[in-house]
Amino acid sequence: MQNKSILFIIVLPQTKRKECLKMGKSYLKQILTYINKVYDIGEKINTLKDKRVKSPVKVSTISFVVLFGFMLQIRSFNRLNHWIEKGKFKKVVPKKTKMPCIDSVRRFLADFDLHGLKNMHSHIVKTSIKNKVFRSGTVDGLKVAAIDGVELFESTKKCCNNCLTRVHKDEITHYFHRSVICSTVGSDPHLILGQEMLEPKRDGSNKDEGEVTGGKRLIKKLYKKFHHFADIIVSIRLLG
């Protein structure tokens, strides 16, 4: 069981998100034009590899549907399926484009091109920095980022070599994945800069890796990739 939670964000102004939620054709066209012009999203989506064996639905179409699902904060596959069945996405795709069913979306995401997605995310962050999105800072003129831990998965039956573990009072072992996330905080837009998975106990260690260790590793990786990405890094929970 490989963890596949990749954090991906488009730097979209809050006003544009609210307009897009109205699902008017002109608003959706405006959003597509914006993200394509600034972040080359259409071009980047077309570089994603399709690992499926012969499918009538293009990888770019499914990626587009999922991307808009994130942007519009659609919170479940059932809701996303409702939008697909109602044909709301057809307002912004070329005519005769074959739309996916929700089962196709699930299968596609189960074996997604994570390497390509990571490259897209890095491109978005680098473009945001290059375009000086945070030139005025996020809090009192300073670029502030926060690091916190988040649990991604838990099961008493399914596990993999990368699972963390804990034993409850009932002596049942729970398997889970946990990561630390770094994101800008303060004024909009809130940009997720990176994610680092915590490692399980290895080489004779009697406990899993903690958030402090994972947080330090994440900061080093972000600095290597983006250089000066923040003026202040807040990690109260990690230190407390």
Side-chain angles (χ1 to χ4, degrees), residues 24-237:
K25 184 174 181 180
S26 60
Y27 287 129
L28 290 175
K29 290 287 187 182
Q30 182 183 359
I31 294 302
L32 280 177
T33 301
Y34 175 84
I35 63 178
N36 274 320
K37 181 179 179 180
V38 179
Y39 297 101
D40 304 316
I41 294 301
E43 178 183 339
K44 297 299 179 182
I45 285 178
N46 285 329
T47 65
L48 294 175
K49 295 180 180 179
D50 191 351
K51 299 181 180 180
R52 299 167 299 164
V53 179
K54 293 184 179 181
S55 174
V57 183
K58 294 182 179 179
V59 61
S60 57
T61 303
I62 299 180
S63 299
F64 164 80
V65 168
V66 174
L67 171 62
F68 258 85
F70 275 115
M71 291 173 61
L72 301 178
Q73 300 178 7
I74 298 176
R75 298 183 181 276
S76 69
F77 275 120
N78 287 336
R79 186 61 180 169
L80 182 63
N81 186 45
H82 173 74
W83 282 42
I84 293 174
E85 290 181 343
K86 290 296 182 180
K88 293 190 176 184
F89 292 108
K90 289 186 177 181
K91 298 176 181 180
V92 290
V93 298
K95 291 183 179 180
K96 298 183 179 181
T97 297
K98 184 172 181 59
M99 298 299 293
C101 64
I102 199 64
D103 288 337
S104 295
V105 175
R106 288 193 180 99
R107 288 193 295 269
F108 173 71
L109 293 178
D111 198 19
F112 196 80
D113 179 9
L114 297 183
H115 179 72
L117 188 60
K118 288 179 180 178
N119 288 338
M120 287 178 63
H121 176 257
S122 293
H123 173 73
I124 290 171
V125 176
K126 289 178 179 178
T127 302
S128 301
I129 295 173
K130 179 182 177 182
N131 291 351
K132 299 181 180 180
V133 171
F134 303 107
R135 65 166 62 89
S136 299
T138 61
V139 178
D140 293 335
L142 297 172
K143 292 184 292 183
V144 182
I147 294 181
D148 199 2
V150 59
E151 192 166 306
L152 307 170
F153 166 88
E154 182 184 19
S155 175
T156 58
K157 298 180 180 180
K158 295 182 179 180
C159 66
C160 70
N161 292 333
N162 293 318
C163 274
L164 310 181
T165 58
R166 57 173 168 252
V167 181
H168 286 204
K169 293 180 180 179
D170 54 11
E171 297 186 355
I172 296 177
T173 300
H174 289 243
Y175 304 95
F176 63 100
H177 283 264
R178 191 172 182 81
S179 70
V180 286
I181 309 296
C182 183
S183 171
T184 61
V185 294
S187 61
D188 286 337
H190 295 159
L191 178 63
I192 295 172
L193 299 170
Q195 173 192 38
E196 184 69 17
M197 301 301 300
L198 300 185
E199 298 289 338
K201 60 187 78 171
R202 301 186 193 278
D203 301 327
S205 175
N206 60 356
K207 62 180 182 178
D208 296 325
E209 186 175 60
E211 292 180 3
V212 173
T213 302
K216 289 179 179 179
R217 187 167 64 247
L218 176 59
I219 290 173
K220 290 180 180 178
K221 288 184 176 181
L222 292 178
Y223 182 78
K224 183 178 180 180
K225 184 181 292 185
F226 306 124
H227 303 296
H228 185 77
F229 62 92
D231 299 316
I232 297 175
I233 300 175
V234 181
S235 53
I236 298 176
R237 186 174 179 183

